[in-house]
Amino acid sequence: MAAGLLLSSAIAALFATAVPAQDPSSGFVDPPPDRIVIKIATVNGSGCPQGTAAVAVSADNTAFTVTYSEYLAQVGGNADPTAFRKNCQLNLVVHVPQGFTYAIASADYRGFASLQPGASGVQRASYYFQGSSNTVFKNHPFSGPYSDNWQATDTTDWAQLVWAPCGVQRNFNINTELRVSAGTSDPAKSSFMTMDSTDGDISTVYHLAWKECPNS
């Protein structure tokens, strides 16, 4: 995907809806009324080939959704030997209203897993701003036998949120991974994990926390 490609789902002017004020002691403020626009600068990985990832911002500026169309890890049966692990690194340019900064407060992942007895799978993710250290991956393991939808949520306490620097444009990086292991399962039988919802769209929702920058 070309650097700086602005996805059509994120170019509309998106205004905040009326929401109750947050408890001031929590540090959260209402989302800014001006639009937030997100571009994908680069996208790399076996789980998100070119043209298979897109970003859309919620109308109230409190979340954005990344959708994929080819994110599946598989092992056993006729699976390619390299298909047991799929990953995706998104480098996002986030244009934030003046006077505000943001952090990723939580992320919701959904998918479907079909794991044979003895097989296992894991979903993992990390998040960091350009120029900062890569954060530790957060892991969500699954064990076979399993054949159902799955959901995983990464949540960060307010005191541990990593905020975008005020007044400086820093791209935001999201690294995700699906990994499936055959373990002691029958190698002739396939086990797999996808990051998808029941309607077939592979989607992940990232929830934003907002605060005003000093001297804004």
Side-chain angles (χ1 to χ4, degrees):
M1 185 173 294
L5 176 62
L6 182 59
L7 300 174
S8 60
S9 58
I11 63 174
L14 299 170
F15 294 92
T17 57
V19 294
Q22 300 282 355
D23 179 357
S25 64
S26 71
F28 288 91
V29 299
D30 289 339
D34 297 327
R35 68 177 182 173
I36 173 175
V37 179
I38 298 177
K39 304 185 234 181
I40 293 183
T42 59
V43 54
N44 295 291
S46 55
C48 53
Q50 184 173 354
T52 66
V55 177
V57 184
S58 68
D60 63 359
N61 282 340
T62 62
F64 65 91
T65 301
V66 180
T67 59
Y68 306 92
S69 58
E70 298 181 19
Y71 207 148
L72 180 148
Q74 188 173 13
V75 70
N78 296 322
D80 187 292
T82 63
F84 75 95
R85 176 185 177 273
K86 294 295 178 72
N87 76 294
C88 183
Q89 176 168 315
L90 294 174
N91 182 267
L92 304 177
V93 180
V94 183
H95 295 281
V96 177
Q98 185 175 4
F100 286 85
T101 184
Y102 74 97
I104 303 299
S106 65
D108 299 323
Y109 298 90
R110 298 193 307 274
F112 183 84
S114 177
L115 303 174
Q116 298 294 330
S120 62
V122 64
Q123 182 272 328
R124 57 195 320 225
S126 70
Y127 324 91
Y128 64 100
F129 290 98
Q130 181 182 15
S132 65
S133 299
N134 199 344
T135 59
V136 176
F137 273 95
K138 297 182 179 181
N139 297 317
H140 299 279
F142 300 87
S143 299
Y146 190 102
S147 182
D148 203 349
N149 294 317
W150 62 266
Q151 181 169 334
T153 299
D154 294 339
T155 303
T156 303
D157 292 336
W158 173 265
Q160 297 177 322
L161 289 176
V162 179
W163 296 92
C166 286
V168 179
Q169 179 66 58
R170 295 284 176 84
N171 289 9
F172 183 64
N173 294 280
I174 302 171
N175 292 329
T176 58
E177 179 181 320
L178 289 177
R179 186 187 294 261
V180 179
S181 174
T184 59
S185 65
D186 184 346
K189 296 182 178 180
S190 174
S191 293
F192 66 88
M193 283 188 71
T194 68
M195 228 186 292
D196 60 3
S197 60
T198 54
D199 61 5
D201 291 330
I202 302 175
S203 58
T204 300
V205 180
Y206 296 90
H207 302 275
L208 302 175
W210 293 96
K211 71 176 181 179
E212 294 187 49
C213 290
N215 302 319
S216 60

mmCIF file of all heavy atoms in Angstrom, residues 74-115:
data_model
loop_
_atom_site.group_PDB
_atom_site.id
_atom_site.type_symbol
_atom_site.label_atom_id
_atom_site.label_comp_id
_atom_site.label_asym_id
_atom_site.label_seq_id
_atom_site.Cartn_x
_atom_site.Cartn_y
_atom_site.Cartn_z
ATOM 1 N N GLN A 74 -2.474 -21.306 10.072
ATOM 2 C CA GLN A 74 -2.951 -22.674 9.926
ATOM 3 C C GLN A 74 -1.795 -23.655 10.006
ATOM 4 O O GLN A 74 -0.667 -23.368 9.583
ATOM 5 C CB GLN A 74 -3.670 -22.826 8.580
ATOM 6 C CG GLN A 74 -4.388 -24.149 8.378
ATOM 7 C CD GLN A 74 -5.206 -24.150 7.098
ATOM 8 O OE1 GLN A 74 -5.045 -23.264 6.257
ATOM 9 N NE2 GLN A 74 -6.081 -25.118 6.944
ATOM 10 N N VAL A 75 -2.084 -24.837 10.548
ATOM 11 C CA VAL A 75 -1.085 -25.893 10.647
ATOM 12 C C VAL A 75 -1.783 -27.233 10.459
ATOM 13 O O VAL A 75 -2.978 -27.373 10.727
ATOM 14 C CB VAL A 75 -0.357 -25.823 12.014
ATOM 15 C CG1 VAL A 75 -1.291 -26.245 13.154
ATOM 16 C CG2 VAL A 75 0.916 -26.650 12.016
ATOM 17 N N GLY A 76 -1.044 -28.222 9.980
ATOM 18 C CA GLY A 76 -1.616 -29.566 9.800
ATOM 19 C C GLY A 76 -2.359 -29.692 8.489
ATOM 20 O O GLY A 76 -2.605 -28.715 7.776
ATOM 21 N N GLY A 77 -2.719 -30.928 8.157
ATOM 22 C CA GLY A 77 -3.434 -31.166 6.911
ATOM 23 C C GLY A 77 -2.588 -30.760 5.718
ATOM 24 O O GLY A 77 -1.405 -31.107 5.625
ATOM 25 N N ASN A 78 -3.165 -29.992 4.799
ATOM 26 C CA ASN A 78 -2.458 -29.539 3.602
ATOM 27 C C ASN A 78 -1.912 -28.118 3.749
ATOM 28 O O ASN A 78 -1.572 -27.478 2.745
ATOM 29 C CB ASN A 78 -3.390 -29.590 2.387
ATOM 30 C CG ASN A 78 -3.830 -31.004 2.064
ATOM 31 O OD1 ASN A 78 -3.030 -31.942 2.178
ATOM 32 N ND2 ASN A 78 -5.088 -31.171 1.664
ATOM 33 N N ALA A 79 -1.819 -27.615 4.972
ATOM 34 C CA ALA A 79 -1.353 -26.247 5.195
ATOM 35 C C ALA A 79 0.099 -26.087 4.778
ATOM 36 O O ALA A 79 0.926 -26.996 4.943
ATOM 37 C CB ALA A 79 -1.524 -25.863 6.662
ATOM 38 N N ASP A 80 0.419 -24.934 4.233
ATOM 39 C CA ASP A 80 1.803 -24.603 3.917
ATOM 40 C C ASP A 80 2.618 -24.601 5.214
ATOM 41 O O ASP A 80 2.143 -24.113 6.251
ATOM 42 C CB ASP A 80 1.851 -23.213 3.274
ATOM 43 C CG ASP A 80 3.236 -22.857 2.762
ATOM 44 O OD1 ASP A 80 4.148 -22.681 3.599
ATOM 45 O OD2 ASP A 80 3.399 -22.737 1.540
ATOM 46 N N PRO A 81 3.842 -25.148 5.198
ATOM 47 C CA PRO A 81 4.646 -25.204 6.438
ATOM 48 C C PRO A 81 4.906 -23.843 7.071
ATOM 49 O O PRO A 81 5.157 -23.760 8.276
ATOM 50 C CB PRO A 81 5.957 -25.846 5.954
ATOM 51 C CG PRO A 81 5.582 -26.633 4.748
ATOM 52 C CD PRO A 81 4.502 -25.843 4.078
ATOM 53 N N THR A 82 4.844 -22.776 6.279
ATOM 54 C CA THR A 82 5.100 -21.438 6.829
ATOM 55 C C THR A 82 3.835 -20.746 7.314
ATOM 56 O O THR A 82 3.908 -19.630 7.840
ATOM 57 C CB THR A 82 5.773 -20.536 5.772
ATOM 58 O OG1 THR A 82 4.871 -20.352 4.664
ATOM 59 C CG2 THR A 82 7.064 -21.167 5.261
ATOM 60 N N ALA A 83 2.666 -21.407 7.166
ATOM 61 C CA ALA A 83 1.396 -20.750 7.481
ATOM 62 C C ALA A 83 1.048 -20.779 8.961
ATOM 63 O O ALA A 83 0.033 -20.217 9.361
ATOM 64 C CB ALA A 83 0.266 -21.398 6.683
ATOM 65 N N PHE A 84 1.879 -21.425 9.793
ATOM 66 C CA PHE A 84 1.555 -21.539 11.218
ATOM 67 C C PHE A 84 1.601 -20.195 11.932
ATOM 68 O O PHE A 84 1.006 -20.028 12.998
ATOM 69 C CB PHE A 84 2.519 -22.518 11.901
ATOM 70 C CG PHE A 84 3.901 -21.964 12.131
ATOM 71 C CD1 PHE A 84 4.253 -21.387 13.349
ATOM 72 C CD2 PHE A 84 4.854 -21.992 11.114
ATOM 73 C CE1 PHE A 84 5.523 -20.878 13.565
ATOM 74 C CE2 PHE A 84 6.124 -21.485 11.311
ATOM 75 C CZ PHE A 84 6.463 -20.930 12.537
ATOM 76 N N ARG A 85 2.323 -19.221 11.340
ATOM 77 C CA ARG A 85 2.428 -17.898 11.956
ATOM 78 C C ARG A 85 2.112 -16.839 10.919
ATOM 79 O O ARG A 85 2.668 -16.838 9.819
ATOM 80 C CB ARG A 85 3.838 -17.659 12.502
ATOM 81 C CG ARG A 85 4.056 -16.255 13.069
ATOM 82 C CD ARG A 85 5.514 -16.055 13.488
ATOM 83 N NE ARG A 85 5.771 -14.700 13.966
ATOM 84 C CZ ARG A 85 6.099 -13.680 13.179
ATOM 85 N NH1 ARG A 85 6.206 -13.860 11.872
ATOM 86 N NH2 ARG A 85 6.317 -12.481 13.697
ATOM 87 N N LYS A 86 1.205 -15.929 11.274
ATOM 88 C CA LYS A 86 0.901 -14.771 10.436
ATOM 89 C C LYS A 86 1.018 -13.520 11.300
ATOM 90 O O LYS A 86 0.652 -13.533 12.483
ATOM 91 C CB LYS A 86 -0.506 -14.878 9.833
ATOM 92 C CG LYS A 86 -0.662 -16.020 8.836
ATOM 93 C CD LYS A 86 0.192 -15.810 7.603
ATOM 94 C CE LYS A 86 0.077 -16.974 6.623
ATOM 95 N NZ LYS A 86 -1.206 -17.002 5.935
ATOM 96 N N ASN A 87 1.516 -12.458 10.699
ATOM 97 C CA ASN A 87 1.695 -11.221 11.464
ATOM 98 C C ASN A 87 1.349 -10.023 10.594
ATOM 99 O O ASN A 87 1.237 -10.121 9.371
ATOM 100 C CB ASN A 87 3.132 -11.093 11.962
ATOM 101 C CG ASN A 87 4.081 -10.692 10.842
ATOM 102 O OD1 ASN A 87 4.291 -11.457 9.895
ATOM 103 N ND2 ASN A 87 4.651 -9.496 10.930
ATOM 104 N N CYS A 88 1.158 -8.898 11.252
ATOM 105 C CA CYS A 88 0.891 -7.654 10.535
ATOM 106 C C CYS A 88 1.427 -6.489 11.342
ATOM 107 O O CYS A 88 1.177 -6.395 12.551
ATOM 108 C CB CYS A 88 -0.604 -7.469 10.294
ATOM 109 S SG CYS A 88 -0.990 -5.975 9.325
ATOM 110 N N GLN A 89 2.186 -5.618 10.695
ATOM 111 C CA GLN A 89 2.636 -4.378 11.327
ATOM 112 C C GLN A 89 2.034 -3.213 10.574
ATOM 113 O O GLN A 89 2.270 -3.040 9.382
ATOM 114 C CB GLN A 89 4.154 -4.255 11.342
ATOM 115 C CG GLN A 89 4.600 -2.903 11.922
ATOM 116 C CD GLN A 89 6.084 -2.840 12.217
ATOM 117 O OE1 GLN A 89 6.648 -3.771 12.777
ATOM 118 N NE2 GLN A 89 6.720 -1.739 11.850
ATOM 119 N N LEU A 90 1.238 -2.422 11.289
ATOM 120 C CA LEU A 90 0.638 -1.213 10.731
ATOM 121 C C LEU A 90 1.372 0.002 11.272
ATOM 122 O O LEU A 90 1.597 0.120 12.483
ATOM 123 C CB LEU A 90 -0.836 -1.113 11.109
ATOM 124 C CG LEU A 90 -1.794 -2.164 10.545
ATOM 125 C CD1 LEU A 90 -3.169 -1.968 11.146
ATOM 126 C CD2 LEU A 90 -1.850 -2.068 9.031
ATOM 127 N N ASN A 91 1.741 0.903 10.372
ATOM 128 C CA ASN A 91 2.327 2.174 10.753
ATOM 129 C C ASN A 91 1.321 3.250 10.382
ATOM 130 O O ASN A 91 1.067 3.489 9.195
ATOM 131 C CB ASN A 91 3.669 2.381 10.039
ATOM 132 C CG ASN A 91 4.348 3.675 10.452
ATOM 133 O OD1 ASN A 91 4.173 4.698 9.815
ATOM 134 N ND2 ASN A 91 5.128 3.615 11.515
ATOM 135 N N LEU A 92 0.709 3.876 11.389
ATOM 136 C CA LEU A 92 -0.400 4.790 11.178
ATOM 137 C C LEU A 92 0.013 6.234 11.419
ATOM 138 O O LEU A 92 0.716 6.543 12.389
ATOM 139 C CB LEU A 92 -1.565 4.443 12.113
ATOM 140 C CG LEU A 92 -2.111 3.024 12.040
ATOM 141 C CD1 LEU A 92 -3.207 2.836 13.080
ATOM 142 C CD2 LEU A 92 -2.631 2.712 10.645
ATOM 143 N N VAL A 93 -0.447 7.126 10.541
ATOM 144 C CA VAL A 93 -0.317 8.560 10.755
ATOM 145 C C VAL A 93 -1.650 9.041 11.318
ATOM 146 O O VAL A 93 -2.679 8.942 10.657
ATOM 147 C CB VAL A 93 -0.005 9.302 9.443
ATOM 148 C CG1 VAL A 93 0.126 10.805 9.696
ATOM 149 C CG2 VAL A 93 1.266 8.750 8.807
ATOM 150 N N VAL A 94 -1.626 9.534 12.541
ATOM 151 C CA VAL A 94 -2.849 9.956 13.227
ATOM 152 C C VAL A 94 -2.833 11.470 13.376
ATOM 153 O O VAL A 94 -1.977 12.039 14.054
ATOM 154 C CB VAL A 94 -2.976 9.283 14.609
ATOM 155 C CG1 VAL A 94 -4.286 9.677 15.277
ATOM 156 C CG2 VAL A 94 -2.875 7.763 14.487
ATOM 157 N N HIS A 95 -3.773 12.139 12.706
ATOM 158 C CA HIS A 95 -3.904 13.594 12.811
ATOM 159 C C HIS A 95 -4.909 13.902 13.921
ATOM 160 O O HIS A 95 -6.100 13.627 13.790
ATOM 161 C CB HIS A 95 -4.366 14.188 11.490
ATOM 162 C CG HIS A 95 -3.364 14.009 10.388
ATOM 163 N ND1 HIS A 95 -2.253 14.808 10.257
ATOM 164 C CD2 HIS A 95 -3.293 13.104 9.379
ATOM 165 C CE1 HIS A 95 -1.538 14.425 9.211
ATOM 166 N NE2 HIS A 95 -2.155 13.381 8.659
ATOM 167 N N VAL A 96 -4.400 14.470 15.017
ATOM 168 C CA VAL A 96 -5.192 14.722 16.220
ATOM 169 C C VAL A 96 -5.553 16.194 16.289
ATOM 170 O O VAL A 96 -4.730 17.050 15.949
ATOM 171 C CB VAL A 96 -4.388 14.299 17.467
ATOM 172 C CG1 VAL A 96 -5.155 14.608 18.742
ATOM 173 C CG2 VAL A 96 -4.059 12.817 17.401
ATOM 174 N N PRO A 97 -6.783 16.531 16.719
ATOM 175 C CA PRO A 97 -7.153 17.947 16.874
ATOM 176 C C PRO A 97 -6.162 18.704 17.748
ATOM 177 O O PRO A 97 -5.641 18.164 18.723
ATOM 178 C CB PRO A 97 -8.535 17.871 17.530
ATOM 179 C CG PRO A 97 -9.085 16.555 17.071
ATOM 180 C CD PRO A 97 -7.902 15.626 17.019
ATOM 181 N N GLN A 98 -5.919 19.959 17.399
ATOM 182 C CA GLN A 98 -4.942 20.772 18.110
ATOM 183 C C GLN A 98 -5.304 20.885 19.588
ATOM 184 O O GLN A 98 -6.457 21.075 19.952
ATOM 185 C CB GLN A 98 -4.866 22.165 17.488
ATOM 186 C CG GLN A 98 -3.779 23.046 18.098
ATOM 187 C CD GLN A 98 -3.655 24.369 17.363
ATOM 188 O OE1 GLN A 98 -4.417 24.651 16.451
ATOM 189 N NE2 GLN A 98 -2.696 25.194 17.778
ATOM 190 N N GLY A 99 -4.281 20.761 20.431
ATOM 191 C CA GLY A 99 -4.480 20.906 21.863
ATOM 192 C C GLY A 99 -4.807 19.619 22.582
ATOM 193 O O GLY A 99 -4.990 19.618 23.802
ATOM 194 N N PHE A 100 -4.876 18.500 21.850
ATOM 195 C CA PHE A 100 -5.196 17.218 22.461
ATOM 196 C C PHE A 100 -4.117 16.187 22.153
ATOM 197 O O PHE A 100 -3.357 16.311 21.185
ATOM 198 C CB PHE A 100 -6.530 16.678 21.934
ATOM 199 C CG PHE A 100 -7.742 17.380 22.480
ATOM 200 C CD1 PHE A 100 -8.204 18.551 21.899
ATOM 201 C CD2 PHE A 100 -8.409 16.881 23.587
ATOM 202 C CE1 PHE A 100 -9.313 19.198 22.393
ATOM 203 C CE2 PHE A 100 -9.520 17.530 24.099
ATOM 204 C CZ PHE A 100 -9.975 18.690 23.507
ATOM 205 N N THR A 101 -4.060 15.189 23.000
ATOM 206 C CA THR A 101 -3.237 14.021 22.726
ATOM 207 C C THR A 101 -4.059 12.783 23.051
ATOM 208 O O THR A 101 -5.129 12.875 23.658
ATOM 209 C CB THR A 101 -1.920 14.035 23.520
ATOM 210 O OG1 THR A 101 -1.120 12.906 23.118
ATOM 211 C CG2 THR A 101 -2.174 13.931 25.025
ATOM 212 N N TYR A 102 -3.569 11.619 22.644
ATOM 213 C CA TYR A 102 -4.349 10.397 22.802
ATOM 214 C C TYR A 102 -3.437 9.240 23.178
ATOM 215 O O TYR A 102 -2.207 9.293 23.020
ATOM 216 C CB TYR A 102 -5.085 10.058 21.494
ATOM 217 C CG TYR A 102 -4.161 9.508 20.426
ATOM 218 C CD1 TYR A 102 -4.033 8.137 20.215
ATOM 219 C CD2 TYR A 102 -3.388 10.361 19.648
ATOM 220 C CE1 TYR A 102 -3.166 7.645 19.257
ATOM 221 C CE2 TYR A 102 -2.525 9.872 18.687
ATOM 222 C CZ TYR A 102 -2.410 8.514 18.497
ATOM 223 O OH TYR A 102 -1.535 8.027 17.556
ATOM 224 N N ALA A 103 -4.059 8.193 23.687
ATOM 225 C CA ALA A 103 -3.373 6.933 23.968
ATOM 226 C C ALA A 103 -4.346 5.799 23.668
ATOM 227 O O ALA A 103 -5.562 6.012 23.631
ATOM 228 C CB ALA A 103 -2.912 6.870 25.424
ATOM 229 N N ILE A 104 -3.826 4.625 23.446
ATOM 230 C CA ILE A 104 -4.669 3.452 23.244
ATOM 231 C C ILE A 104 -5.003 2.867 24.607
ATOM 232 O O ILE A 104 -4.133 2.353 25.308
ATOM 233 C CB ILE A 104 -3.974 2.404 22.362
ATOM 234 C CG1 ILE A 104 -3.589 3.016 21.017
ATOM 235 C CG2 ILE A 104 -4.874 1.194 22.173
ATOM 236 C CD1 ILE A 104 -4.759 3.532 20.212
ATOM 237 N N ALA A 105 -6.264 2.998 25.013
ATOM 238 C CA ALA A 105 -6.688 2.531 26.327
ATOM 239 C C ALA A 105 -6.994 1.038 26.325
ATOM 240 O O ALA A 105 -6.758 0.346 27.311
ATOM 241 C CB ALA A 105 -7.910 3.315 26.791
ATOM 242 N N SER A 106 -7.560 0.545 25.216
ATOM 243 C CA SER A 106 -7.848 -0.881 25.122
ATOM 244 C C SER A 106 -8.012 -1.262 23.665
ATOM 245 O O SER A 106 -8.198 -0.398 22.795
ATOM 246 C CB SER A 106 -9.110 -1.258 25.913
ATOM 247 O OG SER A 106 -10.256 -0.649 25.355
ATOM 248 N N ALA A 107 -7.933 -2.550 23.399
ATOM 249 C CA ALA A 107 -8.111 -3.068 22.044
ATOM 250 C C ALA A 107 -8.898 -4.367 22.120
ATOM 251 O O ALA A 107 -8.624 -5.227 22.963
ATOM 252 C CB ALA A 107 -6.758 -3.315 21.381
ATOM 253 N N ASP A 108 -9.899 -4.479 21.262
ATOM 254 C CA ASP A 108 -10.746 -5.675 21.206
ATOM 255 C C ASP A 108 -10.453 -6.447 19.924
ATOM 256 O O ASP A 108 -10.546 -5.892 18.825
ATOM 257 C CB ASP A 108 -12.233 -5.292 21.216
ATOM 258 C CG ASP A 108 -12.631 -4.548 22.481
ATOM 259 O OD1 ASP A 108 -12.101 -4.888 23.550
ATOM 260 O OD2 ASP A 108 -13.465 -3.629 22.388
ATOM 261 N N TYR A 109 -10.113 -7.707 20.078
ATOM 262 C CA TYR A 109 -9.849 -8.584 18.942
ATOM 263 C C TYR A 109 -10.896 -9.686 18.908
ATOM 264 O O TYR A 109 -11.284 -10.213 19.952
ATOM 265 C CB TYR A 109 -8.460 -9.216 19.063
ATOM 266 C CG TYR A 109 -7.328 -8.221 19.054
ATOM 267 C CD1 TYR A 109 -6.855 -7.666 20.243
ATOM 268 C CD2 TYR A 109 -6.727 -7.834 17.864
ATOM 269 C CE1 TYR A 109 -5.823 -6.747 20.233
ATOM 270 C CE2 TYR A 109 -5.692 -6.919 17.848
ATOM 271 C CZ TYR A 109 -5.245 -6.377 19.041
ATOM 272 O OH TYR A 109 -4.230 -5.461 19.024
ATOM 273 N N ARG A 110 -11.336 -10.038 17.708
ATOM 274 C CA ARG A 110 -12.298 -11.122 17.548
ATOM 275 C C ARG A 110 -11.811 -12.064 16.455
ATOM 276 O O ARG A 110 -11.086 -11.646 15.540
ATOM 277 C CB ARG A 110 -13.682 -10.592 17.140
ATOM 278 C CG ARG A 110 -14.339 -9.677 18.136
ATOM 279 C CD ARG A 110 -15.825 -9.467 17.796
ATOM 280 N NE ARG A 110 -16.019 -9.035 16.414
ATOM 281 C CZ ARG A 110 -15.973 -7.771 16.004
ATOM 282 N NH1 ARG A 110 -15.694 -6.818 16.870
ATOM 283 N NH2 ARG A 110 -16.198 -7.458 14.738
ATOM 284 N N GLY A 111 -12.248 -13.310 16.548
ATOM 285 C CA GLY A 111 -11.872 -14.249 15.509
ATOM 286 C C GLY A 111 -12.584 -15.571 15.659
ATOM 287 O O GLY A 111 -13.506 -15.715 16.469
ATOM 288 N N PHE A 112 -12.146 -16.515 14.865
ATOM 289 C CA PHE A 112 -12.652 -17.879 14.948
ATOM 290 C C PHE A 112 -11.453 -18.809 15.012
ATOM 291 O O PHE A 112 -10.443 -18.592 14.334
ATOM 292 C CB PHE A 112 -13.512 -18.231 13.727
ATOM 293 C CG PHE A 112 -14.110 -19.614 13.813
ATOM 294 C CD1 PHE A 112 -15.296 -19.829 14.510
ATOM 295 C CD2 PHE A 112 -13.478 -20.695 13.219
ATOM 296 C CE1 PHE A 112 -15.838 -21.093 14.605
ATOM 297 C CE2 PHE A 112 -14.009 -21.972 13.313
ATOM 298 C CZ PHE A 112 -15.194 -22.169 14.011
ATOM 299 N N ALA A 113 -11.557 -19.844 15.846
ATOM 300 C CA ALA A 113 -10.479 -20.822 15.970
ATOM 301 C C ALA A 113 -11.043 -22.223 15.848
ATOM 302 O O ALA A 113 -12.112 -22.528 16.384
ATOM 303 C CB ALA A 113 -9.760 -20.669 17.311
ATOM 304 N N SER A 114 -10.330 -23.053 15.120
ATOM 305 C CA SER A 114 -10.634 -24.480 15.025
ATOM 306 C C SER A 114 -9.349 -25.217 15.368
ATOM 307 O O SER A 114 -8.446 -25.347 14.520
ATOM 308 C CB SER A 114 -11.114 -24.845 13.620
ATOM 309 O OG SER A 114 -11.341 -26.238 13.509
ATOM 310 N N LEU A 115 -9.226 -25.652 16.613
ATOM 311 C CA LEU A 115 -8.014 -26.281 17.112
ATOM 312 C C LEU A 115 -8.295 -27.734 17.467
ATOM 313 O O LEU A 115 -9.195 -28.021 18.265
ATOM 314 C CB LEU A 115 -7.493 -25.538 18.337
ATOM 315 C CG LEU A 115 -7.188 -24.038 18.152
ATOM 316 C CD1 LEU A 115 -6.831 -23.396 19.488
ATOM 317 C CD2 LEU A 115 -6.063 -23.845 17.136
#
